[in-house]
Amino acid sequence: MSALLTAGGGLTAGDRSIITAINTGASSLSFVGSAFIVLCYCLFKELRKFSFKLVFYLALSDMLCSFFLIVGDPSKGFICYAQGYTTHFFCVASFLWTTTIAFTLHRTVVKHKTDVEDLEAMFHLYVWGTSLVVTVIRSFGNNHSHMGPWCYTQTGLKGKAVHFLTFYAPLWGAILYNGFTYFQVIRMLRNARRMAVGMSDRVDSIDGRAESKVLNRWGYYPLILIGSWAFGTINRIHDFVEPGHKIFWLSALDVGTAALMGLFNSIAYGLNSSVRRAIHERFELFLPERLYRWLPSNLRPKSHHLIMHQQQQQQRSEMVSLKTEEQQ
């Protein structure tokens, strides 16, 4: 991610080695998580709906950002430039895709519009165009160097200001937009729920719990970006105040949490009920019946739970009949 590209100044060789290991491990986890969502979208036709298509583009951006963070040798000329700007480009694209998901949900639930699929071309223009513009602007006044496995920029005050304006300003704008949007969506759905409760004599408690779980899940989305980039923002501000003096633990948290953003996104956005249902159906088709008992209960197909329940009931009825015969 972009915050990783400036974490090297003022640290010892040992500190840089530790931060390099943190970056590689966290980026690898993000790459695996994002690649899993991309693979699910490509393999399962039932997931190729517009709502999940946006999640696919988000996971693809995270996957490519993580990939360029963990591979290549940035110490060789052009690759240094390519790695630095490519990671910046796809990281910006990642958090911009989260705003399109929030916009789609808000337009569908709050505005009651059904034209969101017609806006796909505008979403692409907005995300890729904005990412390209801020990446090009960031190149002004930067002098490139390298540290360990990634390329970073050693810049003066002007370059740091440009970096902050081209990455952290749109990042926190996206965080505020997502937070405000999801707040409106959740508030409207809860108000609608209260009205339904008032007009009905009884409410299905199972549906209520499921709805609350979905609302709580949506509330976590803005927190992902905050958790991923809070330490990075603090580290950039500290770098403005005391240039050249890095705090190791702050740099380590900056690198680790930022590199894990792809993993957080893949869990929160990608592992929804549709993906779990598709995976369960494949388990039912390809896994032998005897292997189901080794799976965790939350990963077992519902049909298997039903079969097990029927078998238990049958065993109980047989036990009852045997006891009755013995008594007679």
Side-chain angles (χ1 to χ4, degrees), residues 258-272:
L260 285 173
M261 184 181 70
L263 179 65
F264 297 153
N265 284 336
S266 64
I267 294 173
Y269 289 92
L271 293 179
N272 54 28

Side-chain angles (χ1 to χ4, degrees), residues 236-266:
R236 298 292 82 70
I237 295 174
H238 175 266
D239 196 30
F240 273 113
V241 177
E242 296 186 30
H245 177 67
K246 290 288 184 181
I247 302 176
F248 169 71
W249 65 266
L250 183 59
S251 297
L253 289 173
D254 173 8
V255 169
T257 55
L260 285 173
M261 184 181 70
L263 179 65
F264 297 153
N265 284 336
S266 64

Side-chain angles (χ1 to χ4, degrees), residues 70-111:
I70 59 180
V71 301
D73 183 3
S75 63
K76 296 180 180 179
F78 174 76
I79 299 179
C80 177
Y81 289 88
Q83 188 184 37
Y85 291 129
T86 304
T87 52
H88 186 272
F89 175 85
F90 285 113
C91 186
V92 173
S94 173
F95 66 72
L96 290 181
W97 278 118
T98 66
T99 62
T100 65
I101 296 172
F103 174 84
T104 301
L105 190 62
H106 182 270
R107 190 170 180 82
T108 303
V109 175
V110 179
K111 300 285 188 179

Side-chain angles (χ1 to χ4, degrees), residues 14 50 55 62 120-122 132 237 281 301:
F50 179 75
V55 176
D62 285 329
E120 182 178 355
M122 295 298 297
L132 180 61
I237 295 174
E281 290 174 356

Side-chain angles (χ1 to χ4, degrees), residues 123-142:
F123 288 162
H124 283 285
L125 180 62
Y126 155 68
V127 172
W128 304 123
T130 303
S131 301
L132 180 61
V133 169
V134 297
T135 302
V136 171
I137 293 175
R138 180 174 174 264
S139 66
F140 298 157
N142 282 353

